[in-house]
Amino acid sequence: MTRTYRAVMAVATPIVRHWGRLEVVGLEHLPTDGPVLAVGNHDSYWDPVVVGVAARRQRQIQALAKSSMWKNPLLGKVLDGMGQIPIERGKGDAHAMDTAIAELGGGTCIGIFPEGTISRGQRLRARSGAGRLALAVPGTTIVSVAVTGSVDIVRFPKRPRIRVEFFLPGGGQAQPGESASAVTVRVVEEIRERAPITIPGRRRTAAKYRARQLAVAEGATAE
């Protein structure tokens, strides 16, 4: 692990593990070496940190993160020090994917949230990037990561109860001839069975997302 990664995890650990009452299940499914693709659900901005803390005793996870985070020079330096990879989401960022493939091929663990952004209480389309990475590097192990309780970190004084479960896809690893989209969709569907979509934010923000969710549901019913 890089020094910056260790430092960030050290700062985050008391919040996530102790205040958040973190429960980690299935860590033995995360290989300690070789190319690994950690695929997770995304309901809170805390998810990458939560997964990093949960996996800390096993290995470093280099995440694909939205490029806008690098607009802050200080944050950008921290992210670079952690080995994070900037990606222009929704634009087919070939450079980011090539970088991730090279890192994965070198035996690193890449973290990816196929839903692209936090769910905000809505079902999002799983993008094919995870499947593309898995198929591009033979021997890659896909490890599914189901995160629950992370949305409560910002809801002080309510104390969170965070759970991170690592498990291997029930449908198996990516197979030759299987499309990247098919791989991603089946993996995300399995994760969402264990980590249902959850509305993030404190009271006002959560209420806004809930109202939007209700409006969408009513519109679907009307149709």
Short mmCIF file of all heavy atoms in Angstrom, two decimals, residues 6-72:
data_model
loop_
_atom_site.label_atom_id
_atom_site.label_comp_id
_atom_site.label_asym_id
_atom_site.label_seq_id
_atom_site.Cartn_x
_atom_site.Cartn_y
_atom_site.Cartn_z
N ARG A 6 -2.39 4.48 3.03
CA ARG A 6 -2.38 4.08 4.44
C ARG A 6 -2.86 5.22 5.33
O ARG A 6 -3.62 5.01 6.28
CB ARG A 6 -0.97 3.66 4.85
CG ARG A 6 -0.51 2.33 4.30
CD ARG A 6 0.90 1.98 4.81
NE ARG A 6 1.42 0.78 4.20
CZ ARG A 6 1.13 -0.46 4.61
NH1 ARG A 6 0.33 -0.63 5.65
NH2 ARG A 6 1.66 -1.50 4.00
N ALA A 7 -2.41 6.44 5.01
CA ALA A 7 -2.77 7.60 5.82
C ALA A 7 -4.27 7.87 5.76
O ALA A 7 -4.92 8.13 6.79
CB ALA A 7 -1.99 8.82 5.35
N VAL A 8 -4.85 7.84 4.56
CA VAL A 8 -6.28 8.09 4.40
C VAL A 8 -7.09 7.02 5.13
O VAL A 8 -8.08 7.32 5.82
CB VAL A 8 -6.66 8.15 2.90
CG1 VAL A 8 -8.18 8.20 2.75
CG2 VAL A 8 -6.02 9.36 2.24
N MET A 9 -6.69 5.77 4.98
CA MET A 9 -7.40 4.68 5.65
C MET A 9 -7.29 4.81 7.17
O MET A 9 -8.23 4.51 7.91
CB MET A 9 -6.85 3.32 5.20
CG MET A 9 -7.17 2.97 3.75
SD MET A 9 -8.94 2.91 3.36
CE MET A 9 -9.10 4.40 2.35
N ALA A 10 -6.13 5.27 7.65
CA ALA A 10 -5.94 5.45 9.09
C ALA A 10 -6.86 6.52 9.64
O ALA A 10 -7.41 6.38 10.75
CB ALA A 10 -4.48 5.81 9.38
N VAL A 11 -7.06 7.59 8.87
CA VAL A 11 -7.95 8.67 9.30
C VAL A 11 -9.41 8.21 9.24
O VAL A 11 -10.22 8.54 10.13
CB VAL A 11 -7.76 9.91 8.40
CG1 VAL A 11 -8.83 10.95 8.68
CG2 VAL A 11 -6.37 10.51 8.62
N ALA A 12 -9.76 7.44 8.21
CA ALA A 12 -11.16 7.03 8.02
C ALA A 12 -11.58 5.88 8.92
O ALA A 12 -12.77 5.75 9.24
CB ALA A 12 -11.37 6.62 6.56
N THR A 13 -10.63 5.07 9.36
CA THR A 13 -10.96 3.88 10.14
C THR A 13 -11.77 4.16 11.40
O THR A 13 -12.77 3.47 11.67
CB THR A 13 -9.69 3.07 10.47
OG1 THR A 13 -9.17 2.53 9.24
CG2 THR A 13 -9.99 1.93 11.43
N PRO A 14 -11.41 5.15 12.25
CA PRO A 14 -12.22 5.39 13.44
C PRO A 14 -13.67 5.74 13.12
O PRO A 14 -14.59 5.37 13.86
CB PRO A 14 -11.50 6.57 14.10
CG PRO A 14 -10.10 6.50 13.60
CD PRO A 14 -10.22 6.01 12.19
N ILE A 15 -13.88 6.47 12.01
CA ILE A 15 -15.24 6.85 11.63
C ILE A 15 -16.02 5.64 11.14
O ILE A 15 -17.15 5.39 11.57
CB ILE A 15 -15.21 7.93 10.52
CG1 ILE A 15 -14.47 9.18 11.00
CG2 ILE A 15 -16.62 8.28 10.05
CD1 ILE A 15 -14.22 10.20 9.91
N VAL A 16 -15.42 4.89 10.23
CA VAL A 16 -16.12 3.77 9.60
C VAL A 16 -16.20 2.54 10.50
O VAL A 16 -17.26 1.97 10.72
CB VAL A 16 -15.43 3.40 8.26
CG1 VAL A 16 -16.08 2.16 7.65
CG2 VAL A 16 -15.50 4.57 7.28
N ARG A 17 -15.06 2.15 11.04
CA ARG A 17 -15.02 0.88 11.79
C ARG A 17 -15.58 1.02 13.21
O ARG A 17 -16.29 0.13 13.67
CB ARG A 17 -13.58 0.35 11.84
CG ARG A 17 -13.47 -1.04 12.46
CD ARG A 17 -12.08 -1.61 12.29
NE ARG A 17 -11.77 -1.97 10.93
CZ ARG A 17 -12.16 -3.11 10.34
NH1 ARG A 17 -12.87 -3.99 11.01
NH2 ARG A 17 -11.83 -3.36 9.09
N HIS A 18 -15.26 2.11 13.87
CA HIS A 18 -15.66 2.25 15.28
C HIS A 18 -16.99 2.98 15.43
O HIS A 18 -17.94 2.43 15.98
CB HIS A 18 -14.54 2.92 16.06
CG HIS A 18 -13.23 2.20 15.95
ND1 HIS A 18 -13.09 0.87 16.30
CD2 HIS A 18 -12.01 2.60 15.49
CE1 HIS A 18 -11.84 0.49 16.09
NE2 HIS A 18 -11.17 1.53 15.58
N TRP A 19 -17.07 4.23 14.96
CA TRP A 19 -18.33 4.95 15.02
C TRP A 19 -19.40 4.25 14.17
O TRP A 19 -20.55 4.13 14.57
CB TRP A 19 -18.15 6.38 14.54
CG TRP A 19 -19.43 7.12 14.29
CD1 TRP A 19 -19.97 7.49 13.09
CD2 TRP A 19 -20.37 7.59 15.28
NE1 TRP A 19 -21.16 8.14 13.25
CE2 TRP A 19 -21.44 8.22 14.59
CE3 TRP A 19 -20.41 7.52 16.67
CZ2 TRP A 19 -22.52 8.78 15.26
CZ3 TRP A 19 -21.49 8.08 17.34
CH2 TRP A 19 -22.54 8.69 16.63
N GLY A 20 -19.00 3.76 13.00
CA GLY A 20 -19.95 3.10 12.10
C GLY A 20 -20.25 1.66 12.43
O GLY A 20 -21.05 1.02 11.74
N ARG A 21 -19.61 1.12 13.47
CA ARG A 21 -19.83 -0.28 13.88
C ARG A 21 -19.72 -1.23 12.69
O ARG A 21 -20.59 -2.07 12.45
CB ARG A 21 -21.20 -0.41 14.58
CG ARG A 21 -21.31 0.39 15.85
CD ARG A 21 -22.66 0.23 16.51
NE ARG A 21 -23.70 0.98 15.80
CZ ARG A 21 -24.97 1.06 16.19
NH1 ARG A 21 -25.35 0.44 17.30
NH2 ARG A 21 -25.86 1.76 15.51
N LEU A 22 -18.65 -1.07 11.96
CA LEU A 22 -18.45 -1.82 10.72
C LEU A 22 -18.42 -3.33 10.95
O LEU A 22 -17.70 -3.84 11.81
CB LEU A 22 -17.13 -1.40 10.05
CG LEU A 22 -16.73 -2.16 8.80
CD1 LEU A 22 -17.71 -1.91 7.66
CD2 LEU A 22 -15.31 -1.76 8.37
N GLU A 23 -19.20 -4.04 10.15
CA GLU A 23 -19.17 -5.49 10.11
C GLU A 23 -18.68 -5.92 8.73
O GLU A 23 -19.23 -5.49 7.71
CB GLU A 23 -20.56 -6.08 10.36
CG GLU A 23 -20.60 -7.60 10.26
CD GLU A 23 -22.01 -8.17 10.30
OE1 GLU A 23 -22.98 -7.37 10.28
OE2 GLU A 23 -22.15 -9.41 10.34
N VAL A 24 -17.63 -6.71 8.70
CA VAL A 24 -17.07 -7.18 7.43
C VAL A 24 -17.29 -8.68 7.32
O VAL A 24 -16.93 -9.45 8.21
CB VAL A 24 -15.57 -6.87 7.32
CG1 VAL A 24 -15.02 -7.34 5.97
CG2 VAL A 24 -15.32 -5.37 7.50
N VAL A 25 -17.89 -9.09 6.20
CA VAL A 25 -18.19 -10.50 5.97
C VAL A 25 -17.55 -10.95 4.66
O VAL A 25 -17.57 -10.22 3.67
CB VAL A 25 -19.73 -10.71 5.88
CG1 VAL A 25 -20.06 -12.18 5.60
CG2 VAL A 25 -20.40 -10.24 7.16
N GLY A 26 -16.97 -12.14 4.67
CA GLY A 26 -16.46 -12.73 3.43
C GLY A 26 -15.15 -12.16 2.92
O GLY A 26 -14.83 -12.31 1.73
N LEU A 27 -14.35 -11.54 3.80
CA LEU A 27 -13.10 -10.95 3.35
C LEU A 27 -12.16 -11.98 2.75
O LEU A 27 -11.31 -11.65 1.92
CB LEU A 27 -12.40 -10.23 4.52
CG LEU A 27 -11.17 -9.38 4.19
CD1 LEU A 27 -11.50 -8.32 3.15
CD2 LEU A 27 -10.59 -8.75 5.44
N GLU A 28 -12.34 -13.22 3.13
CA GLU A 28 -11.49 -14.30 2.59
C GLU A 28 -11.68 -14.48 1.09
O GLU A 28 -10.84 -15.10 0.42
CB GLU A 28 -11.78 -15.62 3.31
CG GLU A 28 -13.14 -16.22 3.06
CD GLU A 28 -14.26 -15.68 3.97
OE1 GLU A 28 -13.99 -14.70 4.70
OE2 GLU A 28 -15.37 -16.24 3.92
N HIS A 29 -12.76 -13.93 0.54
CA HIS A 29 -13.00 -14.04 -0.91
C HIS A 29 -12.19 -13.02 -1.71
O HIS A 29 -12.15 -13.09 -2.94
CB HIS A 29 -14.48 -13.86 -1.22
CG HIS A 29 -15.35 -14.95 -0.67
ND1 HIS A 29 -15.17 -16.28 -0.98
CD2 HIS A 29 -16.40 -14.89 0.19
CE1 HIS A 29 -16.08 -17.00 -0.34
NE2 HIS A 29 -16.83 -16.19 0.37
N LEU A 30 -11.56 -12.07 -1.01
CA LEU A 30 -10.75 -11.05 -1.69
C LEU A 30 -9.30 -11.54 -1.73
O LEU A 30 -8.61 -11.54 -0.69
CB LEU A 30 -10.84 -9.72 -0.93
CG LEU A 30 -10.10 -8.53 -1.55
CD1 LEU A 30 -10.75 -8.13 -2.88
CD2 LEU A 30 -10.09 -7.34 -0.59
N PRO A 31 -8.79 -11.95 -2.90
CA PRO A 31 -7.42 -12.45 -3.00
C PRO A 31 -6.40 -11.40 -2.55
O PRO A 31 -6.59 -10.20 -2.76
CB PRO A 31 -7.28 -12.76 -4.49
CG PRO A 31 -8.68 -12.98 -4.98
CD PRO A 31 -9.49 -12.01 -4.20
N THR A 32 -5.33 -11.85 -1.97
CA THR A 32 -4.29 -10.93 -1.49
C THR A 32 -3.34 -10.51 -2.61
O THR A 32 -2.54 -9.59 -2.43
CB THR A 32 -3.48 -11.57 -0.35
OG1 THR A 32 -2.93 -12.82 -0.81
CG2 THR A 32 -4.36 -11.82 0.86
N ASP A 33 -3.39 -11.19 -3.74
CA ASP A 33 -2.56 -10.79 -4.88
C ASP A 33 -3.25 -11.17 -6.18
O ASP A 33 -4.28 -11.83 -6.19
CB ASP A 33 -1.16 -11.43 -4.80
CG ASP A 33 -1.22 -12.94 -4.67
OD1 ASP A 33 -2.19 -13.56 -5.16
OD2 ASP A 33 -0.31 -13.52 -4.06
N GLY A 34 -2.65 -10.73 -7.29
CA GLY A 34 -3.22 -11.01 -8.60
C GLY A 34 -4.31 -10.02 -8.98
O GLY A 34 -4.78 -9.24 -8.14
N PRO A 35 -4.71 -10.01 -10.25
CA PRO A 35 -5.71 -9.05 -10.72
C PRO A 35 -7.09 -9.32 -10.14
O PRO A 35 -7.62 -10.44 -10.25
CB PRO A 35 -5.71 -9.26 -12.24
CG PRO A 35 -5.20 -10.65 -12.44
CD PRO A 35 -4.23 -10.90 -11.34
N VAL A 36 -7.65 -8.30 -9.50
CA VAL A 36 -8.97 -8.43 -8.88
C VAL A 36 -9.81 -7.22 -9.25
O VAL A 36 -9.33 -6.09 -9.27
CB VAL A 36 -8.86 -8.52 -7.34
CG1 VAL A 36 -10.24 -8.48 -6.69
CG2 VAL A 36 -8.13 -9.78 -6.93
N LEU A 37 -11.07 -7.47 -9.53
CA LEU A 37 -12.02 -6.40 -9.82
C LEU A 37 -13.07 -6.43 -8.72
O LEU A 37 -13.86 -7.36 -8.62
CB LEU A 37 -12.66 -6.62 -11.19
CG LEU A 37 -13.41 -5.45 -11.83
CD1 LEU A 37 -12.46 -4.29 -12.07
CD2 LEU A 37 -14.06 -5.88 -13.13
N ALA A 38 -13.04 -5.42 -7.85
CA ALA A 38 -14.01 -5.31 -6.76
C ALA A 38 -15.19 -4.48 -7.25
O ALA A 38 -15.06 -3.28 -7.49
CB ALA A 38 -13.38 -4.67 -5.53
N VAL A 39 -16.34 -5.12 -7.41
CA VAL A 39 -17.52 -4.47 -7.98
C VAL A 39 -18.55 -4.23 -6.88
O VAL A 39 -18.96 -5.17 -6.19
CB VAL A 39 -18.14 -5.35 -9.09
CG1 VAL A 39 -19.34 -4.64 -9.72
CG2 VAL A 39 -17.10 -5.69 -10.15
N GLY A 40 -18.96 -2.97 -6.70
CA GLY A 40 -19.88 -2.67 -5.60
C GLY A 40 -21.07 -1.83 -5.97
O GLY A 40 -21.13 -1.23 -7.05
N ASN A 41 -22.05 -1.78 -5.07
CA ASN A 41 -23.19 -0.88 -5.20
C ASN A 41 -22.79 0.50 -4.71
O ASN A 41 -21.78 0.66 -4.01
CB ASN A 41 -24.39 -1.40 -4.40
CG ASN A 41 -24.07 -1.53 -2.91
OD1 ASN A 41 -23.30 -2.40 -2.50
ND2 ASN A 41 -24.68 -0.69 -2.09
N HIS A 42 -23.57 1.52 -5.09
CA HIS A 42 -23.16 2.88 -4.76
C HIS A 42 -24.37 3.72 -4.33
O HIS A 42 -25.10 4.25 -5.16
CB HIS A 42 -22.51 3.50 -5.99
CG HIS A 42 -21.59 4.65 -5.68
ND1 HIS A 42 -21.19 4.98 -4.41
CD2 HIS A 42 -20.99 5.57 -6.50
CE1 HIS A 42 -20.38 6.03 -4.45
NE2 HIS A 42 -20.26 6.41 -5.71
N ASP A 43 -24.56 3.84 -3.00
CA ASP A 43 -25.66 4.64 -2.48
C ASP A 43 -25.17 5.85 -1.70
O ASP A 43 -25.96 6.76 -1.40
CB ASP A 43 -26.54 3.78 -1.56
CG ASP A 43 -27.22 2.65 -2.32
OD1 ASP A 43 -27.87 2.94 -3.34
OD2 ASP A 43 -27.10 1.48 -1.90
N SER A 44 -23.88 5.88 -1.34
CA SER A 44 -23.33 6.97 -0.54
C SER A 44 -21.95 7.37 -1.07
O SER A 44 -21.20 6.53 -1.57
CB SER A 44 -23.20 6.52 0.92
OG SER A 44 -22.39 7.40 1.67
N TYR A 45 -21.62 8.67 -0.92
CA TYR A 45 -20.29 9.13 -1.32
C TYR A 45 -19.21 8.48 -0.45
O TYR A 45 -18.04 8.49 -0.82
CB TYR A 45 -20.21 10.65 -1.21
CG TYR A 45 -20.98 11.39 -2.28
CD1 TYR A 45 -22.03 12.26 -1.94
CD2 TYR A 45 -20.69 11.20 -3.63
CE1 TYR A 45 -22.74 12.93 -2.93
CE2 TYR A 45 -21.40 11.87 -4.62
CZ TYR A 45 -22.43 12.73 -4.27
OH TYR A 45 -23.13 13.38 -5.24
N TRP A 46 -19.61 7.93 0.68
CA TRP A 46 -18.66 7.27 1.58
C TRP A 46 -18.28 5.86 1.12
O TRP A 46 -17.35 5.26 1.65
CB TRP A 46 -19.26 7.20 2.99
CG TRP A 46 -19.06 8.43 3.78
CD1 TRP A 46 -19.86 9.54 3.83
CD2 TRP A 46 -17.97 8.72 4.68
NE1 TRP A 46 -19.35 10.49 4.67
CE2 TRP A 46 -18.19 10.02 5.21
CE3 TRP A 46 -16.84 8.02 5.07
CZ2 TRP A 46 -17.32 10.61 6.12
CZ3 TRP A 46 -15.97 8.61 5.98
CH2 TRP A 46 -16.21 9.89 6.50
N ASP A 47 -19.00 5.30 0.15
CA ASP A 47 -18.79 3.90 -0.23
C ASP A 47 -17.34 3.53 -0.57
O ASP A 47 -16.84 2.51 -0.09
CB ASP A 47 -19.71 3.52 -1.39
CG ASP A 47 -21.17 3.45 -0.96
OD1 ASP A 47 -21.42 3.21 0.24
OD2 ASP A 47 -22.05 3.63 -1.81
N PRO A 48 -16.63 4.34 -1.39
CA PRO A 48 -15.24 3.96 -1.70
C PRO A 48 -14.36 3.87 -0.45
O PRO A 48 -13.51 2.97 -0.34
CB PRO A 48 -14.76 5.08 -2.63
CG PRO A 48 -16.01 5.66 -3.20
CD PRO A 48 -17.03 5.55 -2.12
N VAL A 49 -14.58 4.80 0.48
CA VAL A 49 -13.79 4.79 1.72
C VAL A 49 -14.18 3.61 2.60
O VAL A 49 -13.32 2.93 3.17
CB VAL A 49 -14.00 6.11 2.50
CG1 VAL A 49 -13.26 6.07 3.83
CG2 VAL A 49 -13.52 7.29 1.67
N VAL A 50 -15.47 3.35 2.68
CA VAL A 50 -15.96 2.23 3.49
C VAL A 50 -15.39 0.90 2.99
O VAL A 50 -14.91 0.07 3.77
CB VAL A 50 -17.51 2.19 3.47
CG1 VAL A 50 -18.03 0.86 4.02
CG2 VAL A 50 -18.08 3.35 4.27
N VAL A 51 -15.42 0.70 1.67
CA VAL A 51 -14.88 -0.53 1.09
C VAL A 51 -13.37 -0.61 1.33
O VAL A 51 -12.83 -1.68 1.64
CB VAL A 51 -15.20 -0.62 -0.42
CG1 VAL A 51 -14.51 -1.84 -1.04
CG2 VAL A 51 -16.71 -0.70 -0.64
N GLY A 52 -12.68 0.53 1.20
CA GLY A 52 -11.25 0.56 1.44
C GLY A 52 -10.89 0.16 2.86
O GLY A 52 -9.96 -0.61 3.10
N VAL A 53 -11.65 0.69 3.84
CA VAL A 53 -11.41 0.35 5.24
C VAL A 53 -11.70 -1.13 5.48
O VAL A 53 -10.95 -1.83 6.18
CB VAL A 53 -12.28 1.22 6.17
CG1 VAL A 53 -12.22 0.72 7.61
CG2 VAL A 53 -11.82 2.68 6.10
N ALA A 54 -12.79 -1.63 4.89
CA ALA A 54 -13.16 -3.03 5.07
C ALA A 54 -12.10 -3.98 4.52
O ALA A 54 -11.85 -5.06 5.09
CB ALA A 54 -14.50 -3.31 4.39
N ALA A 55 -11.45 -3.57 3.42
CA ALA A 55 -10.46 -4.43 2.77
C ALA A 55 -9.03 -4.14 3.22
O ALA A 55 -8.09 -4.80 2.78
CB ALA A 55 -10.54 -4.25 1.25
N ARG A 56 -8.87 -3.18 4.11
CA ARG A 56 -7.54 -2.66 4.47
C ARG A 56 -6.56 -3.75 4.90
O ARG A 56 -5.38 -3.69 4.57
CB ARG A 56 -7.71 -1.63 5.59
CG ARG A 56 -6.42 -0.96 6.04
CD ARG A 56 -6.70 -0.04 7.21
NE ARG A 56 -5.48 0.60 7.70
CZ ARG A 56 -5.41 1.29 8.83
NH1 ARG A 56 -6.50 1.44 9.57
NH2 ARG A 56 -4.28 1.84 9.22
N ARG A 57 -7.02 -4.73 5.63
CA ARG A 57 -6.12 -5.78 6.12
C ARG A 57 -5.72 -6.76 5.03
O ARG A 57 -4.83 -7.57 5.22
CB ARG A 57 -6.79 -6.52 7.28
CG ARG A 57 -7.06 -5.63 8.49
CD ARG A 57 -7.89 -6.32 9.54
NE ARG A 57 -8.18 -5.44 10.65
CZ ARG A 57 -9.03 -5.73 11.64
NH1 ARG A 57 -9.66 -6.90 11.65
NH2 ARG A 57 -9.23 -4.86 12.62
N GLN A 58 -6.41 -6.68 3.90
CA GLN A 58 -6.16 -7.63 2.82
C GLN A 58 -5.32 -7.01 1.69
O GLN A 58 -4.33 -7.58 1.28
CB GLN A 58 -7.51 -8.11 2.26
CG GLN A 58 -7.45 -9.45 1.55
CD GLN A 58 -7.53 -10.61 2.52
OE1 GLN A 58 -7.23 -10.46 3.69
NE2 GLN A 58 -7.91 -11.78 2.02
N ARG A 59 -5.74 -5.83 1.20
CA ARG A 59 -4.98 -5.18 0.13
C ARG A 59 -5.53 -3.80 -0.20
O ARG A 59 -6.61 -3.41 0.23
CB ARG A 59 -4.97 -6.05 -1.13
CG ARG A 59 -6.31 -6.18 -1.84
CD ARG A 59 -6.24 -7.17 -2.98
NE ARG A 59 -5.23 -6.81 -3.97
CZ ARG A 59 -4.93 -7.56 -5.03
NH1 ARG A 59 -5.52 -8.71 -5.22
NH2 ARG A 59 -4.02 -7.17 -5.90
N GLN A 60 -4.76 -3.06 -1.00
CA GLN A 60 -5.16 -1.74 -1.46
C GLN A 60 -6.10 -1.87 -2.65
O GLN A 60 -5.91 -2.72 -3.52
CB GLN A 60 -3.93 -0.93 -1.87
CG GLN A 60 -4.23 0.45 -2.44
CD GLN A 60 -2.98 1.27 -2.68
OE1 GLN A 60 -1.94 1.03 -2.08
NE2 GLN A 60 -3.07 2.25 -3.56
N ILE A 61 -7.12 -0.99 -2.70
CA ILE A 61 -8.04 -0.97 -3.82
C ILE A 61 -7.90 0.35 -4.56
O ILE A 61 -8.07 1.42 -3.97
CB ILE A 61 -9.50 -1.15 -3.35
CG1 ILE A 61 -9.68 -2.52 -2.67
CG2 ILE A 61 -10.46 -1.03 -4.54
CD1 ILE A 61 -11.08 -2.76 -2.14
N GLN A 62 -7.56 0.28 -5.84
CA GLN A 62 -7.46 1.48 -6.67
C GLN A 62 -8.79 1.67 -7.40
O GLN A 62 -9.16 0.85 -8.23
CB GLN A 62 -6.33 1.32 -7.69
CG GLN A 62 -4.95 1.23 -7.04
CD GLN A 62 -3.85 1.05 -8.06
OE1 GLN A 62 -2.94 0.25 -7.89
NE2 GLN A 62 -3.92 1.80 -9.15
N ALA A 63 -9.48 2.74 -7.06
CA ALA A 63 -10.83 2.93 -7.60
C ALA A 63 -10.86 3.82 -8.83
O ALA A 63 -10.04 4.73 -8.98
CB ALA A 63 -11.73 3.52 -6.51
N LEU A 64 -11.81 3.55 -9.69
CA LEU A 64 -12.13 4.45 -10.79
C LEU A 64 -13.04 5.53 -10.20
O LEU A 64 -14.12 5.23 -9.68
CB LEU A 64 -12.84 3.70 -11.91
CG LEU A 64 -11.95 2.83 -12.80
CD1 LEU A 64 -12.79 1.82 -13.56
CD2 LEU A 64 -11.20 3.72 -13.78
N ALA A 65 -12.61 6.78 -10.25
CA ALA A 65 -13.36 7.88 -9.63
C ALA A 65 -13.64 8.97 -10.65
O ALA A 65 -12.86 9.18 -11.59
CB ALA A 65 -12.57 8.45 -8.45
N LYS A 66 -14.74 9.69 -10.47
CA LYS A 66 -15.12 10.72 -11.44
C LYS A 66 -14.04 11.80 -11.51
O LYS A 66 -13.53 12.28 -10.49
CB LYS A 66 -16.48 11.31 -11.11
CG LYS A 66 -16.62 11.94 -9.75
CD LYS A 66 -18.05 12.44 -9.57
CE LYS A 66 -18.23 13.10 -8.21
NZ LYS A 66 -19.63 13.57 -8.02
N SER A 67 -13.69 12.18 -12.72
CA SER A 67 -12.57 13.09 -12.96
C SER A 67 -12.75 14.47 -12.34
O SER A 67 -11.77 15.17 -12.06
CB SER A 67 -12.32 13.24 -14.47
OG SER A 67 -13.48 13.72 -15.12
N SER A 68 -14.00 14.88 -12.10
CA SER A 68 -14.25 16.21 -11.54
C SER A 68 -13.63 16.37 -10.15
O SER A 68 -13.38 17.48 -9.69
CB SER A 68 -15.76 16.49 -11.46
OG SER A 68 -16.41 15.52 -10.66
N MET A 69 -13.37 15.26 -9.47
CA MET A 69 -12.77 15.33 -8.14
C MET A 69 -11.35 15.88 -8.20
O MET A 69 -10.83 16.40 -7.21
CB MET A 69 -12.77 13.94 -7.49
CG MET A 69 -14.17 13.40 -7.23
SD MET A 69 -14.16 11.71 -6.59
CE MET A 69 -13.48 11.98 -4.94
N TRP A 70 -10.71 15.79 -9.36
CA TRP A 70 -9.34 16.28 -9.52
C TRP A 70 -9.29 17.80 -9.75
O TRP A 70 -8.22 18.37 -9.84
CB TRP A 70 -8.65 15.56 -10.69
CG TRP A 70 -7.98 14.27 -10.29
CD1 TRP A 70 -6.64 14.09 -10.07
CD2 TRP A 70 -8.59 13.00 -10.06
NE1 TRP A 70 -6.38 12.78 -9.72
CE2 TRP A 70 -7.55 12.09 -9.71
CE3 TRP A 70 -9.89 12.53 -10.11
CZ2 TRP A 70 -7.80 10.75 -9.42
CZ3 TRP A 70 -10.14 11.20 -9.83
CH2 TRP A 70 -9.11 10.33 -9.48
N LYS A 71 -10.46 18.44 -9.83
CA LYS A 71 -10.49 19.90 -10.00
C LYS A 71 -9.93 20.60 -8.76
O LYS A 71 -9.46 21.72 -8.85
CB LYS A 71 -11.92 20.37 -10.29
CG LYS A 71 -12.42 19.96 -11.67
CD LYS A 71 -13.83 20.46 -11.92
CE LYS A 71 -14.31 20.05 -13.31
NZ LYS A 71 -15.71 20.51 -13.57
N ASN A 72 -10.05 19.94 -7.63
CA ASN A 72 -9.44 20.46 -6.40
C ASN A 72 -8.01 19.95 -6.36
O ASN A 72 -7.78 18.74 -6.22
CB ASN A 72 -10.22 19.95 -5.18
CG ASN A 72 -9.65 20.47 -3.87
OD1 ASN A 72 -8.44 20.46 -3.64
ND2 ASN A 72 -10.53 20.90 -2.98
#
